[in-house]
Amino acid sequence: MRPIWTLEEARQADQEAVSSGVPYPALLAQAGLQLARFIQARVPEGAVMFLTGPGSNGGDGWVAARHLARRRPVTVIPIAEPRFPGAGDWIAAAKAAGVVVGQNPVSLNGAAVVVDAMYGTGFHGSVMESPAGPWLAALESGGHPVIHVDLPSGVETNTGQYDGPELNTLATLTMGAVKWGLVGYPGAEAAGPIVVADIGLPGHGQASFIDPEWAKRHLPRVPRLGHKYSRGHVVVIGGSRAMPGAPVLAGMAALKAGAGLVELVVPESVLGRVAVVPSLIVHGVPETADGSLQVSDVLSRLAARADALVIGPGLGPTAPTALIEVLAKIPVPAVLDADGIRLYAQAPKAFGANWVLTPHAGEMGVLLGMTSARVNADRRRAVLDAVHATGRTVLLKGMFSIVGSEGGRLMVNSSGSPVLATAGSGDVLSGMTAALLAQGLPPDQALALAVYWHGWAGQIGEREQGLSMTADNLLDYFSPARHALEQEEEPTSVTYWD
Ligand SMILES: NC(=O)C1=CN([C@@H]2O[C@H](COP(=O)(O)OP(=O)(O)OC[C@H]3O[C@@H](n4cnc5c(N)ncnc54)[C@H](OP(=O)(O)O)[C@@H]3O)[C@@H](O)[C@H]2O)[C@H](O)CC1
Ligand SMILES: [K+]
């Protein structure tokens, strides 16, 4: 279990520790010690400068400074009067160990690393208007390497909202568990690589990262005595004159993720442009005047044969709402993506039982009636609201994608790469998800495993091809990514330090 905490859950973990007999100063001492060890490992030489705030985030800094002062030059620059519990004693001990207290005006020049211990979970408001503002501006213009304690100062704990500058961040060492602000936006960008320090706090929460061991355990095995039908039959419903390629990507992804048989159902006028991949079976069915799919008996019949559907890739914005109403009556699990989500938003009562939605922030905005900026301002809340509104499993795509399912359970994906933000990447993910649904995984597990596997494919693809990866290249990395899952490899965006 690798939990992700809200502010309330972080405070609850604190209280649980204290009521189980661990005194608060022991937690602070442990956090400071882990911070010192981490700094020593990451930046082994040179002067260390700490910027410390008034609360316990600053306290973590003072304790770490005391440990490091035995080995190297250490300066602490308090940006506000210390008010954390036991401040007087901790500060006296640090000074006795040789920590120099910086007097105004202080320069950060000469620091091998600057430690940002200004604010953590207790921060609220605008950081640029707080006493940390001028220091963040100095760090930005000086380009000093920075390690953040718990959260980059100014990042809101539950949402990731942040109005400070981008810094030369080495890492964020977060105490006990990752906070939602580090996987929200733009906090995730400000945090850089996230490292979790074990400070002896209890480790549970409503949300958790997709776990490598879990992923390995849930990968469908290919039955030795299987045939193509027993490996799962996926039908992809989509395509239009403007976007004939999207269903092909989804279909190929379903095949490469282990489905035994994949059929595409597309408007008849695009059949010739789609029927080019020999391993996919393609059906042209009746279409509207502008070349979008139309409701027809043959479409319903083809859909009803599947173990799982993908509805939406390349469907186009003009497909009729009736399409979704007809498909909703077919008792087959389905992935709704792209224009499938837009259609659903027009007919929200038409919703099949085992359907899952895979919106990006823009599509989530359509579902919830808000802008994508508002979705991204609180991604956790958006997923909870979408699950509540639909009663279904929902994936919000993007860096640190979130899978939400009934009961408010949340899973966050830590694999991935910026190369996945490319046209067709979503089609690939929806095909992969459908393959896992068709092989019998329940909706939440299929989505979580697909997003994790897809992220690994992107990560390995980026390593091999750099930033010029395209969505069809991604298919080549399903197999190495599956291997990474089988080896329980750890994504590098979040690591654990003990
Ligand atoms: N999770 C744990 O169990 C442990 C966490 N630790 C560390 O402690 C911090 C949280 O400490 P806390 O004292 O609650 O909060 P902060 O250090 O973030 O700072 C709170 C102080 O900052 C002031 N503040 C907040 N916003 C502003 C602002 N915009 N302008 C000026 N000042 C601001 C706030 O003042 P208030 O008036 O709002 O009260 C407080 O004085 C956590 O992040 C960890 O780093 C320990 O390691 C122990 C275990
Ligand atoms: K901080």
Side-chain angles (χ1 to χ4, degrees):
M1 180 74 177
R2 299 166 175 206
I4 300 151
W5 283 342
T6 59
L7 175 60
E8 297 69 32
E9 286 168 331
R11 293 202 167 139
Q12 202 183 326
D14 263 12
Q15 274 157 18
E16 272 181 45
V18 170
S19 55
S20 75
V22 182
Y24 190 77
L27 292 176
L28 190 77
Q30 186 65 8
L33 175 62
Q34 295 291 42
L35 176 61
R37 289 181 58 230
F38 181 72
I39 296 165
Q40 190 61 34
R42 283 301 305 271
V43 187
E45 283 169 16
V48 186
M49 286 195 191
F50 287 80
L51 294 167
T52 57
S56 293
N57 196 256
D60 295 347
W62 276 103
V63 175
R66 173 169 63 86
H67 289 294
L68 289 173
R70 284 183 292 146
R71 303 169 181 258
R72 51 204 287 195
V74 175
T75 305
V76 172
I77 304 162
I79 69 151
E81 199 57 43
R83 291 205 295 259
F84 58 93
D89 291 341
W90 289 113
I91 291 170
K95 287 180 182 163
V99 170
V100 173
V101 180
Q103 305 289 346
N104 267 329
V106 226
S107 154
L108 296 170
N109 291 344
V113 60
V114 176
V115 182
D116 157 27
M118 294 183 281
Y119 301 108
T121 53
F123 183 78
H124 47 85
S126 154
V127 78
M128 293 317 280
E129 288 164 20
S130 79
W135 292 103
L136 292 175
L139 289 172
E140 181 190 25
S141 63
H144 307 279
V146 178
I147 290 174
H148 301 285
V149 182
D150 209 24
L151 293 147
S153 295
V155 168
E156 209 271 330
T157 308
N158 284 344
T159 62
Q161 284 184 45
Y162 173 66
D163 71 340
E166 211 177 288
L167 303 178
N168 176 14
T169 292
L170 298 181
T172 295
L173 185 76
T174 196
M175 302 303 168
V178 171
K179 318 300 179 300
W180 271 100
L182 299 174
V183 296
Y185 298 175
E189 190 77 62
I194 301 167
V195 184
V196 187
D198 182 358
I199 60 167
L201 290 173
H204 45 76
Q206 184 195 21
S208 60
F209 285 109
I210 297 164
D211 183 89
E213 188 269 330
W214 176 91
K216 178 183 178 181
R217 207 157 18 93
H218 287 80
L219 270 175
R221 306 281 157 232
V222 179
R224 277 186 176 278
L225 300 178
H227 50 77
K228 66 186 176 195
Y229 293 101
S230 68
R231 290 184 60 190
H233 177 183
V234 171
V235 172
V236 180
I237 297 170
S240 55
R241 284 177 205 156
M243 290 178 284
V248 177
L249 275 176
M252 284 307 297
L255 274 180
K256 293 221 168 209
L261 177 65
V262 178
E263 296 181 279
L264 311 186
V265 177
V266 300
E268 53 204 0
S269 66
V270 305
L271 183 66
R273 293 162 69 196
V274 173
V276 288
V277 182
S279 29
L280 295 170
I281 299 166
V282 189
H283 305 274
V285 300
E287 62 185 46
T288 60
D290 60 4
S292 309
L293 278 175
Q294 205 177 23
V295 173
S296 65
D297 286 347
V298 57
L299 182 141
S300 299
R301 252 195 333 272
L302 288 165
R305 302 204 305 215
D307 295 316
L309 298 172
V310 181
I311 305 171
L315 197 57
T318 58
T321 313
L323 191 65
I324 213 89
E325 290 165 346
V326 166
L327 291 171
K329 297 201 179 90
I330 299 173
V332 169
V335 184
L336 260 76
D337 189 30
D339 291 313
I341 296 175
R342 287 176 205 280
L343 270 191
Y344 163 73
Q346 290 161 16
K349 288 205 179 69
F351 209 171
N354 278 322
W355 284 14
V356 302
L357 294 153
T358 56
H360 55 55
E363 291 155 351
M364 186 63 122
V366 172
L367 272 180
L368 296 176
M370 57 173 71
T371 61
S372 60
R374 257 193 73 201
V375 168
N376 278 336
D378 191 347
R379 289 169 57 84
R380 172 181 159 275
R381 175 58 40 208
V383 172
L384 289 173
D385 287 351
V387 170
H388 184 73
T390 61
R392 299 295 185 277
T393 305
V394 180
L395 167 77
L396 176 57
K397 292 187 286 202
M399 183 184 185
F400 293 121
S401 296
I402 307 169
V403 180
S405 46
E406 271 180 295
R409 175 106 199 86
L410 299 170
M411 281 185 279
V412 175
N413 182 38
S414 60
S415 71
S417 150
V419 302
L420 293 173
T422 183
S425 171
D427 302 320
V428 170
L429 177 66
S430 58
M432 196 176 220
T433 309
L436 297 172
L437 286 170
Q439 289 168 91
L441 261 70
D444 56 336
Q445 296 185 8
L447 264 182
L449 186 59
V451 77
Y452 186 69
W453 186 357
H454 180 260
W456 267 104
Q459 226 167 277
I460 296 171
E462 182 193 349
R463 208 153 65 205
E464 308 259 311
Q465 297 202 11
L467 295 177
S468 55
M469 278 267 299
T470 58
D472 42 320
N473 298 148
L474 202 53
L475 299 169
D476 298 336
Y477 298 102
F478 276 28
S479 197
R482 189 183 165 113
H483 184 72
L485 263 59
E486 280 164 351
Q487 299 302 310
E488 295 182 36
E489 278 186 43
E490 301 272 347
T492 50
S493 57
V494 183
T495 52
Y496 291 78
W497 169 268
D498 53 66

